[in-house]
């Protein structure tokens, strides 16, 4: 028997992506299907999403949805069921999903994402003519207000699961918006959407959800503490028994070095020789010296303080002193983009930077870099290190969140037991990062043990298999309760 689930997300790979949320929202429905969970995903109708739809049927209309008419289009992408909220007054504009071309947030984000939540509740009560979902699965703050609409609706309610991909983004808006967002006055309570005197979208989800999940077991612990919870630790620790972490996976068809059409030479854990050609191609693409003796560190990341890339920029002189190269692909905060452009210009042949978003290049990086750096200050799960493991690019990571859960450190015990897959460092400070860089270069000097790290990394489980099973078990348990 199949279990209908309505997922609500503001991104969905490959239709619209600014970060890892899109990868997860796009991959989980397919991974859940073998477990009898049938997910329909509700998405905002951004221009990119609407133009990518191949056919579709209008299944509901809303005459006045926070400032204009809207239609709900049922469609599918790659066999996955979608409901796209076509509300031109909210979503038909240039720029990104959350802000304009000038980088500023849209001033009507409260209305834009409240609309998504409002419609989610209507769909959960049959508005789209679909089987009623047993569970509504809310991703991040943008979906969060759905929980309040569901909670304040007198009709029988589905179960709610709220998944946190990044607790630093919380969706806070002034309390004066409440009537406009069609929530009753009593919703503005500590036992409701009230958050620091305003309306908290993520708070709403975390308060009303039957279960709260995040994307790794360690991050599930970190967010119960003041440092990690960013204001929501009190609420979460009060309901800690319902908070858990389920690791993300990656799509093993897209990320497979044996079949990857985006890289010059394919290879496997049994025969890594193809890596040499990828390494040369990477060096050429980034204008780096291709010497086999120079370890090339790679980065594929959003450029933000979360990712610790300000610390890495400070470590560039050490990387050079150690005889290594650095190749970076990233986009994000302007000052970090400028910083890495400057470093590449100052050290041609040793530091290369591509500022922008490029998936093909990300595959080349994983296939050609010797080590992938992820020095994040916090990391709910992280996908880059999972790709690195699969491609035998040794991950060098901060021991936080999902990075702590997915990489086995090459410490003396890990090495002697033959289980190490990468390098971890802690605390996330300059001195510890510097020490990790030194340690990585020392490990590289012993090519036999380096190869062992690579093959161990490539044998790591990074698929959705176990995690999809865990989500399915949680959904079934909630549906049966
Ligand atoms: N310039 C670029 N060009 C090409 N590819 C690029 C790129 N910049 C980033 N990427 C790719 O996009 C993905 C980003 O996912 P991450 O999980 O690493 O980070 P993000 O912080 O966005 O996600 C948040 O949500 C996810 C999903 O839950 C959590 O894993 C994570 O910890 C949390 O911060 C990775 O696959 C990365 O390689």
């Amino acid at each position: 028997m199949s279990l209908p689930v309505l997922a609500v997300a503001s991104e969905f790979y490959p239709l619209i992506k600014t970060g890892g949320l899109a990868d997860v929202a796009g991959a989980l429905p397919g991974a859940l299907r073998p477990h009898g969970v049938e997910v329909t995903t509700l998405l905002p109708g951004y221009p990119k999403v609407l133009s990518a739809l191949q056919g579709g049927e209008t299944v509901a209309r809303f005459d006045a949805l926070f400032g204009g008419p809207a239609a709900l289009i049922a469609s599918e992408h790659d066999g996955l069921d979608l409901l796209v909220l076509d509300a031109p007054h909210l979503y038909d504009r240039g720029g990104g999903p959350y802000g304009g071309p000038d980088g500023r947030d849209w001033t009507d984000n409260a209305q834009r994402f409240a609309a998504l939540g409002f419609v989610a509740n209507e769909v959960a009560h049959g508005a789209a003519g679909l089987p009623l979902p047993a569970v509504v699965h809310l991703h991040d703050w943008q979906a969060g207000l759905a929980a309040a609409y569901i909670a304040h609706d007198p009709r029988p309610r589905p179960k709610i699961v709220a998944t946190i991909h990044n607790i630093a983004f919380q969706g806070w808006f002034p309390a004066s918006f409440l009537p406009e967002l069609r929530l009753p006055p009593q919703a503005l309570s500590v036992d409701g959407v009230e958050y620091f005197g305003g309306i908290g979208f993520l708070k709403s989800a975390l308060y009303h959800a039957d279960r709260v999940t995040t994307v790794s077991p360690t991050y599930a612990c970190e967010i119960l503490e003041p440092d990690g919870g960013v204001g929501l630790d009190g609420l979460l620790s009060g309901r800690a028994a319902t908070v858990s972490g389920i690791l993300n996976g990656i799509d093993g068809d897209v990320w497979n070095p044996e079949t990857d059409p985006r890289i010059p030479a394919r290879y496997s854990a049994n025969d890594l020789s193809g890596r040499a050609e990828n390494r040369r191609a990477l060096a050429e693409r980034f204008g780096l010296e291709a010497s086999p003796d120079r370890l090339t560190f790679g980065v594929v990341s959003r450029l933000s303080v979360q990712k610790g890339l300000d610390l890495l920029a400070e470590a560039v002189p050490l990387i050079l002193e150690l005889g290594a190269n650095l190749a970076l692909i990233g986009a994000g905060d302007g000052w970090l983009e400028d910083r890495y452009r400057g470093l590449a210009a100052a050290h041609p042949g040793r530091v290369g930077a591509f500022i922008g978003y490029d998936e093909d290049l990300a595959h080349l990086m994983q296939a050609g870099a010797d080590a992938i750096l992820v020095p994040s200050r916090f990391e709910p799960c992280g996908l880059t290190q999972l790709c690195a493991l699969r491609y035998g690019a040794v991950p060098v990571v901060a021991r936080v969140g999902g990075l702590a859960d997915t990489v086995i450190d090459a410490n003396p015990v890990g090495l002697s037991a033959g289980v190490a897959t990468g390098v971890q460092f802690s605390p996330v400070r300059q001195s510890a990062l510097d020490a990790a860089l030194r340690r990585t270069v020392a490990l590289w000097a012993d090519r036999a043990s380096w190869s062992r790290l690579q093959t161990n990394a490539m044998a790591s489980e990074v698929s959705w298999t176990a995690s999809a099973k865990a989500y399915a078990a949680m959904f079934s348990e909630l549906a049966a309760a």
Side-chain angles (χ1 to χ4, degrees):
M1 218 183 67
S2 78
L3 184 78
V5 168
L6 176 68
V8 186
S10 58
E11 301 184 25
F12 186 95
Y13 181 83
L15 303 181
I16 180 84
K17 167 168 168 171
T18 69
L21 160 66
D23 294 303
V24 175
L28 191 52
L32 283 168
R33 190 165 273 167
H35 300 279
V37 177
E38 285 298 327
V39 181
T40 300
T41 305
L42 172 66
L43 276 176
Y46 312 116
K48 269 190 183 168
V49 171
L50 288 171
S51 63
L53 290 188
Q54 286 158 347
E57 184 194 350
T58 299
V59 290
R61 288 188 190 280
F62 303 89
D63 293 337
L65 185 68
F66 304 140
L72 194 58
I73 302 167
S75 185
E76 59 164 47
H77 185 273
D78 224 3
L80 302 177
D81 293 317
L82 298 178
L83 285 172
V84 176
L85 180 58
D86 183 12
H89 61 294
L90 300 173
Y91 308 127
D92 184 11
R93 47 184 89 164
Y98 315 121
D102 61 0
R104 293 215 184 135
D105 284 355
W106 299 115
T107 53
D108 58 350
N109 273 347
Q111 292 81 354
R112 295 173 77 236
F113 294 106
L116 189 69
F118 182 88
V119 168
N121 180 42
E122 294 307 313
V123 172
H125 290 99
L130 300 172
L132 295 186
V135 177
V136 175
H137 186 189
L138 306 176
H139 292 276
D140 270 353
W141 76 264
Q142 295 88 348
L145 217 57
Y149 293 114
I150 293 170
H152 290 284
D153 194 313
R155 294 174 284 185
R157 56 162 276 192
K159 294 292 196 298
I160 302 171
V161 172
T163 294
I164 302 167
H165 296 271
N166 189 337
I167 207 164
F169 301 115
Q170 304 189 341
W172 185 95
F173 301 97
S176 56
F177 284 15
L178 196 77
E180 188 191 344
L181 300 185
R182 298 190 209 166
L183 283 169
Q186 68 270 25
L188 196 70
S189 144
V190 65
D191 298 322
V193 304
E194 189 278 330
Y195 189 54
F196 290 107
I199 301 170
F201 277 42
L202 183 60
K203 190 278 169 122
S204 150
L206 303 188
Y207 178 78
H208 291 294
D210 298 282
R211 295 285 180 85
V212 174
T213 71
T214 185
V215 288
S216 69
T218 293
Y219 193 60
C221 296
E222 290 171 352
I223 58 178
L224 302 182
E225 297 295 326
D227 280 356
V230 202
L232 287 163
D233 42 289
L235 164 61
L236 289 171
S237 50
R239 52 172 315 184
T242 59
V243 179
S244 63
I246 304 176
L247 275 179
N248 289 334
I250 53 170
D251 185 331
D253 292 331
V254 175
W255 293 100
N256 182 353
E258 293 183 45
T259 55
D260 192 338
R262 295 162 154 177
I263 58 178
R266 280 154 282 284
Y267 59 95
S268 70
N270 297 328
D271 179 5
L272 286 157
S273 56
R275 275 196 132 262
E277 189 179 335
N278 297 324
R279 207 174 177 276
R280 275 193 297 278
L282 181 74
E284 194 179 323
R285 185 70 175 70
F286 282 83
L288 299 175
E289 289 172 20
S291 156
D293 295 328
R294 289 207 187 286
L295 185 155
T296 297
F297 286 108
V299 174
V300 184
S301 184
R302 286 192 293 113
L303 297 184
S304 72
V305 171
Q306 174 198 344
K307 301 292 183 181
L309 294 173
D310 49 326
L311 295 179
L312 181 63
E314 294 297 324
V316 165
L318 175 65
I319 289 175
L320 300 176
E321 189 189 311
L322 292 168
N325 291 338
L326 176 65
L328 171 138
I329 308 172
D333 293 355
W335 67 277
L336 278 170
E337 294 185 348
D338 290 344
R339 188 80 202 276
Y340 280 98
R341 274 195 199 98
L343 286 165
H347 307 288
R350 303 292 302 282
V351 178
F354 171 87
I355 304 301
Y357 187 89
D358 188 326
E359 297 218 354
D360 290 346
L361 202 51
H363 283 245
L364 179 62
M365 183 69 85
Q366 298 287 2
D370 301 304
I372 292 286
L373 287 165
V374 194
S376 307
R377 289 193 166 79
F378 69 94
E379 195 61 76
C381 178
L383 300 173
T384 318
Q385 86 283 8
L386 301 183
C387 301
L389 289 166
R390 185 132 167 88
Y391 278 63
V394 171
V396 179
V397 305
R399 186 158 54 241
V400 295
L403 301 172
D405 294 336
T406 53
V407 174
I408 302 175
D409 185 44
N411 58 34
V413 176
L415 285 173
S416 65
V419 296
T421 60
V423 173
Q424 292 188 332
F425 66 93
S426 175
V428 191
R429 300 258 197 284
Q430 199 69 53
S431 55
L433 170 59
D434 289 355
L437 294 169
R438 285 198 185 89
R439 192 150 66 90
T440 306
V441 170
L443 284 163
W444 160 262
D446 177 354
R447 291 300 202 283
S449 69
W450 186 266
S451 300
R452 183 75 198 270
L453 277 183
Q454 289 182 295
T455 45
N456 284 350
M458 293 178 83
S460 300
E461 175 57 80
V462 292
S463 77
W464 274 106
T465 309
S467 300
K469 206 169 155 193
Y471 275 106
M474 176 179 60
F475 292 155
S476 305
E477 194 185 316
L478 285 171

